[in-house]
Amino acid sequence: MQYGKKIAAALSGALIAGLAAGCSAGGNDETNNEITSMKVMYYDERAFYQQYGMLFSTLYPEVEIEVIETSRVVYEEGKDMEKAMQDFVEEQKPDVLMLGASEYARMASEGKLYNLDTFIQKDKFDLEGIAPGILEYIKQQSDGILYGLAPEFHSQALFYNKDLFSKHGVTPPTDGMSWEEVLQLAARFPTDGSGEDRIYGLRAGYVTDLYQLGMMLGNRQGLSYINPTTQQLTINSDSWKKAFETADTALKSGSLYVEDRSGGFSGSYEDYLLQEPFIGQKVAMAIESNYMLDQIKEAKTRLKDKGVQNWDIVTVPINPANPNESTAMSVGQIFAISAQTANADAAWKFVQYINGDDFARVTSKLRNGSFPSRTKYIESEEGINMAAFYSMKPMARDMYRDYDKLPRDFLMKFDGLTQQEFQGVKDGSLTIAEALDNLQAKGQQLLADELEKEATAEPGSGSDSGSSGAGEMIVTEVGESSAVPAE
C-alpha cells in the first residue's frame, strides 16, 4: 500500500493534475471523506498502479488500496497449481478479484462472487457503451448473471489493401467470410514474380509450415486435439483432417506469405517499417491486432507515399458453425467483487470507475495491445471499419480448460511426434490422413505412458524435464491474460 503511494507521489504534479482534470466528470464528488480500505487482487503492485491505481487513487484518496500480488504465489513440484491459487485467494481474502474466464466461471458457480446488478441499477451504471459481445461473453461464463466487468479486450481483424485489390481486379473481402472463402480470395492474386515484384494474397499470422497452419485453422474454428477430461485425443477427426487439407491447398497455391525468420534486420527505421509485408504492400490481406494500426499511422508520417495508403479492415475469418464467435477476440481480465467482502461499496467504486466512461476516455490513447471495452473510444482514421474488432464475441468455451490435468511433459513430447509425422507429409511418404491417424495412435499411447509415469512417481517428485506449458496457461489466466492459440 505504501509502495503504491510512493509511485503516485513520484509522478509529476502536472501529469497528475492533467489526468485528474480529464476525469473530473467522473471524479469524487462526495463530501464523505471517511477513509476506507480494500484489497485488490492483481499480479503485480507496480503494474497495478501504472494501469489503474494511480488514476483511481488521485480521484478517490479516501479509499486506501492494498494490492494482493498473485505473482507471489509459490508453485511447488507436484502441487495442483489451480488449487494453489484458490488457497491463496481464500487466505488473502481480496475484496476485488482479477480473474481469467475459467476462474471467474468457477467462482461464480460456487457463489463466491458478488452480483453486480444491484449496484448497476442503483448507480444507473451505463452498460450500453460496452461492446455487447464482451458483456454476453462474461454472462455466458456465469449463467447469465453479471458478476464481473472487463475494462479491455484483445482482438484481431483482417486488414486489406484496397489498391492491390483494385489493381488485380479482385473483389475485396467482407465481414463474416469463412476461412475457405478468404483463402480462395487470396489465391486469386498472381503468384508469379520474385523478390520485390512478388505479391502475396494473405499473411495468416506467423505460420511457417503445414502443421502450424493446420493447427491455426483448427484452433480458429474452436477445435481441440485432446479432451483433458476424458483424456482422449481427437487429432484424426474429420474436422481436423479438413483443416489440414485446407492448409495444404493454401500453401501449395503459393498465395500465402510465409515468414522468413532467418537472420536479423539491419537498416533504417523506415526500412524496418517497409519490411512489414502489409505496410510494404507485399500482401493484399493480413490478420493483425491493433499494433498494425499504430504502425500504419507511423508509416504514413515517416514513409509518406511509400507504404500502404488505401486500406480497410473486416472481421477475421469465421467458423460458419458459430459465426458470431471468434477465437481472435479475448477478455484477459475480469474484475469481480468477492461475495464475502465487508467493503462492497469501496470495491464497487473501483470496479465501476475502471469500467466507466471517464477511465476509458482518458486511457484509450495509451494503446498497449488492447482495446477499451467502451467502443466509442476505439479510435482510428475516418472511414475505417473499426467494428470489425468488436462486432463478434469471444468464444464461449475455453479451448485450454483443464489442460492442467494433463501430464506435465505430454504436450512437449506430443509436439515432437507431430514434427516427425508431418516431415513424412512434407517428403511425400505420408498423406495428411495417414499422419493424423498415426498421431492419434501414437499420441494416445504417449498419454497413457505419461499418466502411468505420474501415477507411479513418488509424491512431490515431479518430472525430470521442464513444464510442458499447460501449467503456465493456468497461471497466466488468473494473472495477466488468457492464453491464445499459437500462430
Side-chain angles (χ1 to χ4, degrees), residues 345-419:
D345 289 337
W348 167 245
K349 187 177 291 186
F350 174 76
V351 172
Q352 178 186 32
Y353 172 67
I354 66 170
N355 287 280
D357 191 86
D358 289 321
F359 183 82
R361 174 171 53 83
V362 171
T363 60
S364 62
K365 298 183 185 300
L366 303 175
R367 282 180 178 152
N368 58 356
S370 64
F371 291 101
S373 293
R374 294 192 172 272
T375 58
K376 72 178 181 180
Y377 297 113
I378 298 178
E379 300 180 359
S380 184
E381 295 185 18
E382 184 179 355
I384 299 300
N385 175 30
M386 295 301 288
F389 281 112
Y390 57 83
S391 58
M392 294 190 285
K393 65 180 179 180
M395 180 171 289
R397 180 179 60 85
D398 180 4
M399 292 189 300
Y400 297 110
R401 191 165 191 170
D402 295 330
Y403 264 47
D404 61 315
K405 293 181 171 61
L406 297 173
R408 60 183 292 119
D409 290 340
F410 169 75
L411 295 179
M412 178 181 65
K413 292 182 178 180
F414 183 78
D415 186 64
L417 283 179
T418 63
Q419 301 303 323

